[in-house]
Amino acid sequence: MKRLAIAALALSGLTAIAVAQAPNPILQRQTLLKEFGANGREPGLMLRGEMPFDLAKVQAALRTFSAHAKVLPTLFPDGSFTGETAALPRIATERAQFAAIFAQLDMQATAALATVNAENFRATYGAVLRNCGQCHDTYRRPRT
């Protein structure tokens, strides 16, 4: 399990390096957000009772949320709200509020890493996901 967590963290770090070197901010942020989804898939199944609690997988997702929350606010420059993106242009006029959501996500994910267990998983992880929902509800085009 420890090796899996170390491998996940290393892969996340490599992705962050690759993203930082990529020239297209839309592709950069989409890469990181897809990692949110990929790493959060199994904990989501755990929340729904479709998979048993696995601390290592939950911690890997929380590490990804924390690491990417530090980078994502910088990947929405002016001019990156058209084309293949669901990001709303209001991000450009509400940067402080937008960045605050990611700062909160980082803080919650970091705190959850230190305390999450089978007994408090639902409440702890759920609080982190509500932060994700706040950003989607406010700064992302609805899916059609």
Side-chain angles (χ1 to χ4, degrees):
M1 293 262 184
K2 192 173 186 177
R3 286 185 185 159
L4 177 64
I6 291 169
L9 186 58
L11 181 58
S12 179
L14 291 175
T15 300
I17 290 168
V19 165
Q21 294 173 350
N24 184 331
I26 294 172
L27 292 177
Q28 291 174 315
R29 65 189 184 229
Q30 288 173 347
T31 298
L32 296 182
L33 292 167
K34 284 177 185 175
E35 279 193 18
F36 273 4
N39 285 308
R41 187 166 290 113
E42 287 180 326
L45 293 172
M46 293 174 215
L47 278 176
R48 292 188 299 274
E50 298 173 14
M51 182 177 174
F53 178 76
D54 184 325
L55 181 61
K57 290 179 181 181
V58 170
Q59 288 175 328
L62 292 168
R63 281 187 198 94
T64 298
F65 293 156
S66 176
H68 293 355
K70 291 173 177 72
V71 177
L72 276 161
T74 67
L75 297 177
F76 292 82
D78 291 343
S80 70
F81 302 107
T82 59
E84 296 292 319
T85 182
L88 292 172
R90 73 187 286 185
I91 293 169
T93 60
E94 299 176 11
R95 290 208 184 272
Q97 299 93 319
F98 182 70
I101 291 172
F102 284 104
Q104 180 72 16
L105 175 62
D106 178 27
M107 184 181 75
Q108 286 179 318
T110 300
L113 269 168
T115 61
V116 70
N117 58 45
E119 290 76 37
N120 71 15
F121 166 67
R122 202 170 268 293
T124 303
Y125 197 77
V128 173
L129 292 183
R130 279 189 293 282
N131 203 312
C132 295
Q134 180 184 1
C135 190
H136 283 209
D137 294 345
T138 308
Y139 296 109
R140 181 178 173 186
R141 282 180 193 52
R143 293 181 187 213
T144 55

